Amino acid sequence: MDVCLAEWDLVSAIKGNQAQMMHVESLCHKTKENSSPKYDFDSRFYKMPSYIRRAAISEAIGKVSSYKSNLANWKLNPTGKKPTLNNCGYVYPSLYRIGMYNLTDDYSAQIKIYHNNTWNWLSISLRKSDMDYIYHRCNGRKMCAPTLQKRGKEWFLDFPFEEKVTLTDTNGLVVGVDLGLNSACTCCIMDSKGTIYGRRFLGLPSETDRLNHAVNRIKKAQQYGNRKMPRLWAKAKGINDDIAVKTANFIIDTAVMYNADTIVFEHLDLAGKKRGSKKQKLHMWKAKYVQSMVTDKAHRLSMRISHICAWGDITTSFRWQWQSSSR
């Protein structure tokens, strides 16, 4: 990042991410054709694999580019604090085959890691149940380069897969979804002519009560002066994630039950500072997370995803009519 900051005028003038990365690499990496680079990177990071070095350069270019653009916008409209360069964050690059990852057997592999002041191959054993699941369930998909991720004090290999799916035409039924703060979601199934085929509601009262109880415990601890409560926050986050997962599964099950072609969401703009009595609920609202999960699940089932304006949408009017009739 120091190299990118010092040479940003030249780097920003180059078109294309690949060309920018190659230019920064020529400034700090010594090769046979480039015997005297301007910055001595190799002496500090000896024998660093080219995949990791280039991934680090790409990440540095992205952070410096974001900082420069934010700084330029702040100079045009100097409101708030001056932007600073963000150095935090952990990035785990992909372990490409041959260079960083080799599958030696059905249940064993080798990964290249930094150990004993050098880069060595480490033999690891893969869990049999996980690999059997991949061989049987993911046989028709393309396996991409795995990523070495750290969760807590343990390391895991994450295997992504690529699958091509042809989305269906949008002439059938549509599931309109209204995500709420108090209730999980409201689904309305209709066709292109406006005929209603069904309505389904998801409340999750027990999960909501457990989440409120966990948040109240955090508030009680804060009243006694506690500031960092990782266990209490982890419990609240786990309950909140469980609500999001159950909501996404409910939406997909509804779409499959009625053989729908499209799932419609509200376009929610949650940017900016939250104010009011429900600001904590807005902070903990997993609307974007639910939409992301439903998008991935729907695309695997050849369904389409659409977003509409949230003001006066048809799902809200249907829910209001149902509540009025129930009264």
Side-chain angles (χ1 to χ4, degrees):
M1 293 176 66
D2 295 337
V3 174
C4 295
L5 281 173
E7 305 291 337
W8 185 247
D9 293 336
L10 295 176
V11 174
S12 60
I14 300 174
K15 301 298 182 181
N17 298 331
Q18 185 71 16
Q20 289 180 351
M21 187 270 297
M22 296 299 294
H23 176 72
V24 175
E25 187 179 33
S26 65
L27 293 174
C28 60
H29 178 55
K30 183 178 180 181
T31 59
K32 185 177 180 180
E33 292 79 10
N34 186 26
S35 58
S36 57
K38 187 176 181 179
Y39 300 93
D40 192 5
F41 178 84
D42 295 332
S43 62
R44 297 182 59 186
F45 303 95
Y46 181 64
K47 286 186 178 180
M48 189 173 186
S50 59
Y51 295 111
I52 297 183
R53 182 180 64 249
R54 291 173 181 175
I57 292 174
S58 299
E59 183 70 18
I61 292 175
K63 287 184 178 292
V64 174
S65 176
S66 177
Y67 163 71
K68 288 293 185 179
S69 61
N70 292 335
L71 184 61
N73 295 331
W74 181 83
K75 289 181 178 179
L76 294 175
N77 186 17
T79 57
K81 294 183 180 181
K82 183 178 180 181
T84 57
L85 184 61
N86 185 15
N87 294 326
C88 64
Y90 294 94
V91 180
Y92 301 102
S94 300
L95 302 181
Y96 294 98
R97 292 184 178 179
I98 300 176
M100 297 293 299
Y101 168 80
N102 286 323
L103 187 64
T104 57
D105 197 359
D106 290 342
Y107 306 106
S108 61
Q110 286 184 334
I111 59 174
K112 183 172 283 189
I113 63 170
Y114 188 73
H115 183 62
N116 293 333
N117 296 325
T118 186
W119 291 89
N120 292 322
W121 287 98
L122 175 67
S123 298
I124 58 175
S125 58
L126 304 176
R127 189 179 298 172
K128 185 178 183 300
S129 59
D130 294 341
M131 299 308 296
D132 288 342
Y133 180 88
I134 290 176
Y135 294 145
H136 289 87
R137 300 297 182 92
C138 305
N139 193 20
R141 303 167 190 154
K142 179 183 177 182
M143 180 186 292
C144 302
T147 304
L148 189 65
Q149 298 277 352
K150 185 179 182 182
R151 302 187 186 95
K153 296 182 180 180
E154 296 181 349
W155 293 85
F156 299 87
L157 274 178
D158 291 349
F159 291 90
F161 292 87
E162 181 179 337
E163 182 180 6
K164 292 184 179 180
V165 177
T166 302
L167 301 182
T168 58
D169 296 332
T170 58
N171 297 325
L173 298 181
V174 175
V175 178
V177 181
D178 181 23
L179 299 176
L181 288 174
N182 298 322
S183 60
C185 73
T186 302
C187 296
C188 178
I189 300 90
M190 59 180 297
D191 59 7
S192 59
K193 297 180 181 180
T195 305
I196 306 300
Y197 287 84
R199 304 182 186 93
R200 298 193 69 193
F201 307 92
L202 180 65
L204 299 178
S206 60
E207 289 82 357
T208 304
D209 290 342
R210 289 193 291 116
L211 178 61
N212 294 333
H213 181 69
V215 172
N216 290 333
R217 289 189 62 187
I218 294 174
K219 292 180 180 179
K220 193 70 174 179
Q222 289 175 346
Q223 292 177 359
Y224 287 96
N226 296 328
R227 289 294 176 263
K228 294 183 178 181
M229 296 158 289
R231 292 186 178 180
L232 295 181
W233 279 112
K235 184 176 181 179
K237 182 180 181 300
I239 299 173
N240 207 17
D241 291 340
D242 180 58
I243 293 175
V245 171
K246 290 181 178 179
T247 304
N249 292 334
F250 176 81
I251 296 171
I252 292 296
D253 293 341
T254 302
V256 172
M257 180 188 301
Y258 288 91
N259 196 19
D261 296 334
T262 307
I263 299 176
V264 181
F265 284 107
E266 299 172 336
H267 177 71
L268 302 174
D269 187 9
L270 302 177
K273 187 176 182 180
K274 279 72 175 177
R275 293 180 175 86
S277 59
K278 293 185 178 181
K279 62 181 180 180
Q280 188 176 42
K281 282 189 175 182
L282 286 174
H283 275 294
M284 302 189 68
W285 195 24
K286 293 280 189 174
K288 295 291 185 180
Y289 184 43
V290 172
Q291 292 184 4
S292 177
M293 282 192 294
V294 172
T295 300
D296 295 337
K297 292 175 179 291
H299 285 171
R300 289 193 59 193
L301 298 175
S302 302
M303 299 180 186
R304 295 181 182 270
I305 298 294
S306 179
H307 294 81
I308 62 173
C309 180
W311 179 261
D313 61 2
I314 192 169
T315 307
T316 305
S317 63
F318 286 149
R319 185 181 63 175
W320 178 82
Q321 291 176 5
W322 180 84
Q323 289 176 350
S324 300
S325 61
S326 63
R327 292 173 187 172

